[in-house]
Amino acid sequence: MNVRQLALATTALLATLSLAACSSSSGGSARADTAGGSAPTITVRIPDGGNSGVLALGRKDGSLDKALAKVHAKVAWTGTAGAFAPAAQELDANALDFAEGSITSAIAALAQTPGFKLFAAVDPDKLGEGILVKKDSGINSVSDLVGKKVAVWHGGTSEYLLLKALQQQHIPVDQVKRVYLQPNQIGPVFNSGQVDAWSTWGTYSIPALANSDARFLTTGGQVGSDNYAVWAVRNDFADKHPDVVKALYTYLHDAGTKQQQNPEAYLNVKTTSGPEAVSPAQQAIELPIDKALGTAQPIGGTQLAHFATVAQFFADQKITKGVFDVKPHVIDIDAAAAGTE
């Protein structure tokens, strides 16, 4: 998102552990003295934002470097942004300092290994997330999914949206077959007709809508989604460098506001051709979605109430064992920064 994210998972974990072995012994934030004996520079590891979004533009025009330089920090880009589950493993393994995901995937990850905290949230994407079907599928309502196969990614946005849609229509979950696949595996399976529907988010829905004869059966807004996008920071990093967390938050908030006002400027930041490029057909779909998205905000009472609703839903649906309390894993970004002044 832009604002707005298992053989491959095993490979990612192995790579993560390898990266962790190379991390500094002082908590993974590499520090090097700058010239003249001035304050040391903190290296901040963030997934590469790719060709679109606030991180992509911040990398190209230097605005992110400028924002972090004020707190003696700089970015080390690590890999590419994607599903949050592998990023959560990297946060836990001290191979990454920051990552963006969804509250659904964050709850599923925190319930297993609470190696990170949340410091910012973006309102749920009402337009770009949902359940896709083929235009000629004959599936015209959620009730038509009974007896059908729906591709999902376990324990995050994808599964959440499907279960919310079924609950809304009072359909027992065992009447719909969930086919668990990694997000980047689902497109070919959906296009070949091996599954009847695909529950997903904007990273995958927008190309599918533009290029794969797909349409939304229902969207996040229509199912009443509470699926906030969230920003996470590794626990040890948050404890040692709250000023850096605040600086990144401020950049994300300000850049997200600008993106909402002028989303065209945040597409095809690096290139207009090749596999990373957003095609004109995709742009036509994505621009209204980006305009409707909010920007990063502090996590306060309103967000926590919605997080608790998601946690209860996941417990009721047996995605997690019991209700997970998110609140102890949330940073009050204003209070944290004030404590460093």
Side-chain angles (χ1 to χ4, degrees):
M1 94 182 163
N2 294 354
V3 247
R4 296 167 149 135
Q5 68 222 278
L6 298 182
L8 291 178
T10 302
T11 301
L13 180 57
L14 291 174
T16 291
L17 296 176
S18 175
L19 284 169
C22 298
S23 299
S24 72
S25 59
S26 62
S29 297
R31 305 179 69 140
D33 287 338
T34 56
S38 59
T41 299
I42 303 159
T43 300
V44 180
R45 297 166 297 177
I46 304 176
D48 190 336
N51 192 33
S52 298
V54 297
L55 292 182
L57 187 59
R59 181 177 187 176
K60 181 179 180 179
D61 67 11
S63 57
L64 180 55
D65 286 333
K66 184 177 179 180
L68 293 181
K70 296 176 182 179
V71 289
H72 309 291
K74 64 179 181 179
V75 176
W77 301 100
T78 63
T80 56
F84 184 70
Q89 292 177 334
E90 292 187 54
L91 290 167
D92 290 339
N94 185 22
L96 189 64
D97 298 313
F98 292 92
E100 184 186 21
S102 64
I103 188 57
T104 48
S105 56
I107 287 173
L110 283 168
Q112 297 180 51
T113 309
F116 57 89
K117 290 183 172 66
L118 308 177
F119 67 92
V122 180
D123 288 346
D125 180 358
K126 304 294 188 180
L127 303 178
E129 298 181 347
I131 299 173
L132 297 171
V133 295
K134 290 295 186 68
K135 290 179 180 178
D136 61 356
S137 65
I139 300 173
N140 298 310
S141 67
V142 174
S143 60
D144 291 336
L145 292 177
V146 172
K148 300 293 196 299
K149 298 177 181 179
V150 183
V152 297
W153 169 244
H154 182 66
T157 296
S158 181
E159 192 164 26
Y160 170 79
L161 292 171
L162 173 61
L163 295 175
K164 283 285 289 184
L166 296 179
Q167 182 192 61
Q168 185 183 64
Q169 299 301 318
H170 309 288
I171 299 171
V173 296
D174 60 1
Q175 291 189 14
V176 175
K177 172 68 174 178
R178 279 171 274 178
V179 179
Y180 291 110
L181 295 168
Q182 294 185 69
N184 59 0
Q185 296 176 324
I186 299 177
V189 174
F190 175 73
N191 292 333
S192 66
Q194 296 177 65
V195 295
D196 303 289
W198 178 9
S199 184
T200 191
W201 60 96
T203 301
Y204 300 98
S205 67
I206 292 169
L209 291 167
N211 306 320
S212 300
D213 198 32
R215 60 179 169 85
F216 272 127
L217 177 66
T218 189
T219 63
Q222 291 170 326
V223 302
S225 171
D226 287 308
N227 190 35
Y228 281 73
V230 291
W231 273 92
V233 57
R234 186 170 52 82
N235 285 339
D236 187 61
F237 191 98
D239 293 340
K240 291 180 178 179
H241 310 297
D243 55 335
V244 178
V245 180
K246 174 65 174 181
L248 179 59
Y249 163 78
T250 300
Y251 170 81
L252 294 170
H253 172 82
D254 295 347
T257 300
K258 294 175 183 177
Q259 181 184 30
Q260 189 177 21
Q261 296 167 346
N262 182 24
E264 293 92 340
Y266 292 80
L267 296 179
N268 288 332
V269 171
K270 294 191 300 184
T271 180
T272 58
S273 62
E276 281 191 286
V278 181
S279 70
Q282 290 176 232
Q283 290 186 46
I285 295 168
E286 183 166 354
L287 288 174
I289 294 172
D290 289 349
K291 281 183 178 291
L293 289 176
T295 190
Q297 300 286 350
I299 298 173
T302 298
Q303 290 82 8
L304 287 170
H306 287 288
F307 294 178
T309 299
V310 174
Q312 181 66 60
F313 180 77
F314 265 12
D316 294 342
Q317 298 291 332
K318 312 301 182 191
I319 302 299
T320 57
K321 295 180 180 179
V323 180
F324 184 81
D325 186 5
V326 181
K327 189 173 182 179
H329 305 280
V330 167
I331 294 172
D332 181 334
I333 194 68
D334 294 321
T340 67
E341 296 176 355

